[in-house]
Amino acid sequence: MSVSRRTLLTTAAGAAVAATAIPPVALAADSEAAVPRTFSRAADYAVAKLRAVAPGVTAFPEITRFEKWTYSANGGWIGGFWPGTLWLASLYSGDRRFRELAMASAEKLAPRQYETTHHDLGFLFYPSWVTGWRLTGDEKWRTGALNAAASLIQRYNEKGRFIRAWGALGTPGNAGRVIVDTMMNLDLLTFASEQTGDRKYLDIAVAHAKTTERVFLRPDGSTPHVFDFDPGTGAEIGPNSVQGYGPSSCWSRGQAWAIYGFTTMYRRTGDPLFLRTAQRLADFALRALTPDNVPVWDYLAPQAPHDIKDSSAGAVMACGLLDLAKAANRPHYREAAIRILTALCDTCLTTRSTRAEAIVARATRHRPAEDGVEVSLPYADYYLLEGLLRVLMPKEIDQAIDLSSVS
Ligand code: GLY
């Protein structure tokens, strides 16, 4: 299908969805009873949008340009989120077409299970293939996810006890570079140990998480985006940044990845260090959150908190906080998560646009590069839907992504 024809169709589809969309100012956030209705209306909106847009999508939505998706052919680091979103839409709606589209999209990631050139295997294969296996029982998804875990552990640096984020193995660029995002790739490894009975995956995940706790966590609970090591000796060099403002700032999506990732590692191991760490990270982010409950892109940039927003940080953080509330038995984290999700539903959905192909607006990809400032991003959509379903359908979301804890 030509771009112009697709644009035409999806513009029409966007208009159709917008016409039946929820009003942008939803029900009162302070009423507990009102929350599920706000959330189910937002989930209905998400599903209606996906129903209109998904049939025209043939690659992986990466970022919007003037509200229309632009695509990655092989999925970059974001290829897991589109099939993941479709799996969640199938759970929420029961519509089998989403299931078929999810499988077709996930299948496109098949050649990537053997890649050893980056750390993103968890982002790519957990919401797509692990979820695919959990929802269909088809062995192909499980085997592929295990192959991806085997690829990921090849990036483990024994001297520094970390998983290298970027750069092909055997090349010197970025060989000692660790990023906070990698916390989200560790659950693929815990899955691999649980499935195979081989502890090596879990041991590497635990070692990496402990290194992250040691070098990234500042006394106030904030984190830098990057930490560099000497790759040969494993000696610490120091904090750095690519997507945050600088080495001593706190990129909000990175902080959210860490909250989510450490909480998950606590559930998988029962190690109280990971729970304490998740709480320190969450406490910092909640202190830094503005009354509108949508994170600024970097909590410690010079203009913060009066700076551009990143709704994706809010969506990821809300999912982590819902999990943390349970893990730590601290209801105030759940209350904060509900406030954030409500703010995303009230102030960040694309409901007022007749053009928009995404569900969530106001997400920021890479502020320092001025690349994707307050746009739509597939991970904002995915984690918003995950967060809504964590509240609306806890059993079903557990079935999709496994929210169990070690006993
Ligand atoms: N993991 C890359 C990002 O969060 O932008």
Side-chain angles (χ1 to χ4, degrees), residues 10 28 50 70 79 104 119 132 204 223 256 260 270 277 310 342 367 376 380 383:
T10 50
L50 289 165
T70 62
H119 73 128
I204 287 174
T223 53
Y260 191 130
T277 305
D310 182 9
T342 303
R367 172 74 180 87
S376 293
Y383 288 103

Side-chain angles (χ1 to χ4, degrees), residues 33-232:
V35 165
R37 184 154 159 73
T38 302
F39 290 4
S40 56
R41 292 175 89 184
D44 289 348
Y45 174 69
V47 164
K49 180 63 77 180
L50 289 165
R51 216 170 247 138
V53 171
V57 170
T58 53
F60 298 98
E62 185 173 25
I63 187 167
T64 52
R65 304 275 179 221
F66 199 50
E67 302 180 277
K68 298 291 177 196
W69 285 124
T70 62
Y71 294 93
S72 159
N74 80 346
W77 76 273
I78 46 82
F81 297 121
W82 182 247
T85 303
L86 295 168
W87 285 126
L88 299 189
S90 82
L91 271 185
Y92 181 70
S93 66
D95 185 339
R96 288 195 69 83
R97 272 176 307 167
F98 285 127
R99 213 176 142 89
E100 281 148 27
L101 289 167
M103 287 193 274
S105 176
E107 184 61 47
K108 292 197 180 81
L109 294 173
R112 304 200 56 196
Q113 61 194 275
Y114 304 108
E115 285 180 1
T116 59
T117 49
H118 57 82
H119 73 128
D120 290 314
L121 283 307
F123 281 121
L124 288 172
F125 284 93
Y126 202 104
S128 53
W129 287 46
V130 174
T131 294
W133 174 66
R134 291 181 63 82
L135 296 185
T136 66
D138 186 335
E139 180 61 24
K140 140 180 113 174
W141 305 123
R142 190 185 83 98
T143 309
L146 293 177
N147 288 336
S151 304
L152 179 55
I153 59 169
Q154 293 184 46
R155 300 182 65 77
Y156 183 60
N157 180 314
E158 298 235 0
K159 290 246 170 66
R161 301 180 69 74
F162 62 80
I163 294 169
R164 171 183 178 176
W166 297 323
L169 297 179
T171 62
N174 292 318
R177 182 148 276 202
V178 181
I179 67 174
V180 74
D181 321 30
T182 306
M183 286 304 304
M184 292 295 285
N185 290 314
L186 303 184
D187 207 23
L188 183 69
L189 302 184
T190 76
F191 168 78
S193 276
E194 190 252 314
Q195 287 295 313
T196 62
D198 184 341
R199 278 196 63 94
K200 72 174 180 260
Y201 302 97
L202 178 65
D203 288 345
I204 287 174
V206 166
H208 180 91
K210 287 189 171 169
T211 300
T212 302
E213 185 277 333
R214 193 185 77 238
V215 303
F216 280 74
L217 259 281
R218 303 186 185 114
D220 65 358
S222 66
T223 53
H225 177 210
V226 172
F227 195 94
D228 288 318
F229 291 85
D230 179 319

Side-chain angles (χ1 to χ4, degrees), residues 77 120 123 179 181 243 251 253 257 365 379:
W77 76 273
D120 290 314
F123 281 121
I179 67 174
D181 321 30
Q243 280 166 272
W251 175 49
R253 191 164 62 252
W257 293 141
R365 177 159 76 173
Y379 29 105

